[in-house]
Amino acid sequence: ILNFGHTFGHAIETGMGYGVWLHGEGVAAGMVMAAELSRRLGLVDEVFVQRLTRLIERAGLPTKGPVIDAVDNAGRYLELMRIDKKSEGGEIRFVLIDGPGKAVVRAAPDALVREVIDACCA
């Protein structure tokens, strides 16, 4: 559970350059992205994602990831996430939400991850 949002968040930190986005900012946006991926995988509903997003907004943290590559943003995120410590054999593994207070670590299809990145980045 402690790594929720970190797979996307570390890609943001690395892609933007360390210090441009603080760790907590990247993880906050990453949490929204991971929640949206969870929703698209059928693990949580839209109400859950909206509630999480509002809580992060109320904390004054970003809820949208940055564009780190103007040509192929989702491709760059995927490239950076493949070097995450949770990746195995090039397969990106995410900490996802499987209901309030429940987490699961699993992979997701690249096409679905691309959709989430496209929907969740400013």
Side-chain angles (χ1 to χ4, degrees):
I1 291 175
L2 293 176
N3 282 299
F4 177 58
H6 280 72
T7 303
F8 288 107
H10 288 158
I12 292 168
E13 286 179 290
T14 303
M16 295 299 290
Y18 289 102
V20 176
W21 272 55
L22 298 175
H23 179 71
E25 293 170 332
V27 171
M31 288 169 61
V32 174
M33 296 167 86
E36 178 60 20
L37 181 57
S38 299
R39 185 192 69 76
R40 291 175 187 237
L41 288 166
L43 303 174
V44 295
D45 61 17
E46 179 64 28
V47 172
F48 179 89
V49 177
Q50 289 174 355
R51 181 172 183 241
L52 176 83
T53 302
R54 283 192 308 270
L55 288 169
I56 293 170
E57 284 173 345
R58 286 178 44 201
L61 293 166
T63 58
K64 292 272 191 189
V67 173
I68 55 178
D69 186 316
V71 176
D72 185 10
N73 193 48
R76 182 68 175 136
Y77 268 86
L78 287 165
E79 178 185 328
L80 293 167
M81 289 188 292
R82 286 195 206 295
I83 60 175
D84 186 84
K85 65 184 175 186
K86 290 177 294 306
S87 292
E88 294 178 5
E91 182 178 67
I92 305 165
R93 299 176 55 78
F94 299 89
V95 176
L96 301 172
I97 298 300
D98 191 18
K102 297 181 196 170
V104 62
V105 178
R106 65 181 275 196
D110 280 2
L112 190 60
V113 176
R114 282 180 172 276
E115 290 175 15
V116 168
I117 293 164
D118 290 342
C120 294
C121 291

